[in-house]
Amino acid sequence: MSSSLIKSVLLHLALGGFLYASANIHPPKPKVMEVTLNAAIPEPEKAVSAVTIDQKQVEQKIAELKKKEDDKKRAEDKRIRDLERRATDARKQREAEARRIKKLEQQRRAKEKETAQAQAQAKKAREIEQRERAKAKQAEKQKQEAENAAKAAADKRKAEEAALKKAEQERKKRAEEAERKRQQALQEQMLQEQLAKEQAARNKIRQQQVVSEVDKFRALIMARIQQNLLIDEKMKNQQCRINIRLGFNGLVTQVKSLGGDKLVCEAALRAVRMADTLPVSKDKDVFEQLKNINITIAPEF
């Protein structure tokens, strides 16, 4: 029970006892001192009434006050318990929220870690994919290069085969042509040899004819010079070798001594000059051997 309730009950009890005693022992006084104990002293009429208050009512009143105080205390206790409960609930909620936030933070960190791992794995996968793509691209390039090289080799082989075939055809053709030319050359050689033999025979005949003609005209030239030669007994058994150059018509263009007896040489030179022209052949081959001749003059007695 609270102190205020006790004070109130005691005050009421003291007031009741005082009134009761005053009514039985002393007559009422015209003026009563006022006593202030949380309540004014009742007037004489009311005091008489208060003395008659039943003890049961006091107890009932005390019970009501106590009940009221208890109710108030219970309400206060309930309010405190509610506050404590709400505080506990709030603390629990805060703790739960903290745990939830911590869990969320852990989940976030785990998610970040998982994301980082996933990103790292994705990056690694991309790098692996890029390397694989690069390898595939390089392999494709090498394959293409190999195919190009194979095609180039095949083309080269075909070209070489075609060149060999063409070369073989040309070789056969050249061989055939060479054989044809050899046969032709052999035939021509045989023909040339035959012609050469015939020409040699003709040349021989011609040479014989030319020699004969040369000898003939040489004899004629000698005879002409002998005709113009003035001889002397001192020239007997003497001779002189002279060189005579003739024009195409037999004209003497030059005459000179090549050595011999002086008198014979002088006489021979005079004889040639006196002749002026000497016999020559119209045959070119004969003339070629007569246009520049050496003659030995020996006076005839």
Side-chain angles (χ1 to χ4, degrees):
M1 186 180 293
S2 64
S3 58
S4 59
L5 179 60
I6 292 172
K7 289 179 179 180
S8 177
V9 171
L10 290 176
L11 178 61
H12 284 84
L13 289 177
L15 180 59
F18 175 74
L19 293 175
Y20 179 78
S22 298
N24 291 326
I25 299 175
H26 300 288
K29 296 179 179 181
K31 187 176 182 180
V32 181
M33 181 182 291
E34 291 181 2
V35 180
T36 303
L37 290 173
N38 293 332
I41 297 175
E43 296 180 359
E45 293 180 358
K46 291 181 179 181
V48 173
S49 297
V51 173
T52 60
I53 293 172
D54 189 56
Q55 183 69 26
K56 186 177 180 180
Q57 292 179 348
V58 173
E59 293 177 353
Q60 184 179 358
K61 185 65 174 178
I62 292 172
E64 290 176 356
L65 292 174
K66 183 177 180 182
K67 182 176 181 301
K68 185 177 180 181
E69 186 70 19
D70 290 340
D71 291 341
K72 184 178 180 181
K73 182 179 180 182
R74 282 193 298 272
E76 182 67 16
D77 292 339
K78 183 176 181 300
R79 186 181 69 81
I80 292 172
R81 285 195 302 274
D82 290 340
L83 291 175
E84 290 177 348
R85 180 180 55 77
R86 286 199 296 271
T88 301
D89 292 341
R91 178 177 55 81
K92 289 181 180 179
Q93 289 179 357
R94 288 195 303 273
E95 291 175 352
E97 183 67 16
R99 288 194 298 273
R100 187 182 69 82
I101 291 173
K102 183 177 180 181
K103 184 177 180 180
L104 290 175
E105 181 65 18
Q106 291 175 347
Q107 291 177 351
R108 184 186 64 78
R109 291 179 180 177
K111 188 66 175 178
E112 288 180 352
K113 184 177 180 181
E114 182 181 353
T115 302
Q117 291 176 350
Q119 290 176 350
Q121 291 177 354
K123 182 179 179 181
K124 185 176 181 180
R126 286 195 300 273
E127 291 175 352
I128 293 173
E129 183 181 3
Q130 289 176 355
R131 286 197 296 271
E132 292 298 325
R133 285 182 179 178
K135 288 181 180 179
K137 187 176 181 180
Q138 183 66 22
E140 182 65 22
K141 182 179 179 181
Q142 292 176 351
K143 178 182 177 183
Q144 188 65 36
E145 290 177 351
E147 290 178 354
N148 294 337
K151 185 176 182 299
D155 294 341
K156 183 179 180 181
R157 185 176 65 255
K158 289 180 181 179
E160 289 176 349
E161 290 176 354
L164 288 174
K165 184 176 180 181
K166 184 178 180 181
E168 181 64 18
Q169 292 175 349
E170 291 179 352
R171 186 190 65 77
K172 289 181 179 179
K173 185 177 180 181
R174 287 195 301 269
E176 292 174 356
E177 182 66 16
E179 180 63 19
R180 185 185 67 78
K181 288 183 178 181
R182 190 183 70 80
Q183 293 294 335
Q184 184 178 358
L186 183 60
Q187 293 176 0
E188 290 179 355
Q189 182 180 0
M190 293 173 63
L191 179 60
Q192 290 295 331
E193 290 176 355
Q194 181 66 28
L195 291 175
K197 288 179 181 180
E198 293 177 358
Q199 186 64 34
R202 287 195 297 270
N203 289 340
K204 186 176 181 181
I205 295 172
R206 174 63 176 167
Q207 186 64 29
Q208 291 175 352
Q209 291 175 350
V210 170
V211 170
S212 176
E213 285 293 310
V214 169
D215 290 343
K216 172 185 174 182
F217 279 95
R218 181 183 291 274
L220 290 173
I221 291 171
M222 288 285 292
R224 178 71 62 85
I225 292 172
Q226 286 290 345
Q227 289 176 2
N228 295 330
L229 184 65
L230 299 175
I231 61 176
D232 188 288
E233 285 294 333
K234 294 179 181 179
M235 300 177 187
K236 193 175 183 178
N237 299 324
Q238 300 295 324
Q239 62 182 16
C240 177
R241 187 173 177 77
I242 62 175
N243 172 261
I244 302 172
R245 294 190 178 187
L246 301 173
F248 69 94
N249 57 357
L251 179 65
V252 177
T253 58
Q254 181 180 338
V255 59
K256 61 181 179 178
S257 173
L258 298 179
D261 183 72
K262 182 179 180 181
L263 292 175
V264 175
C265 289
E266 290 177 355
L269 294 175
R270 282 195 302 270
V272 172
R273 291 189 184 100
M274 286 176 63
D276 190 28
T277 60
L278 296 174
V280 293
S281 174
K282 293 182 180 180
D283 191 316
K284 183 179 178 181
D285 294 332
V286 176
F287 175 72
E288 286 295 322
Q289 296 189 35
L290 292 174
K291 67 180 181 179
N292 187 6
I293 62 174
N294 295 327
I295 299 175
T296 300
I297 302 298
E300 296 177 357
F301 289 91

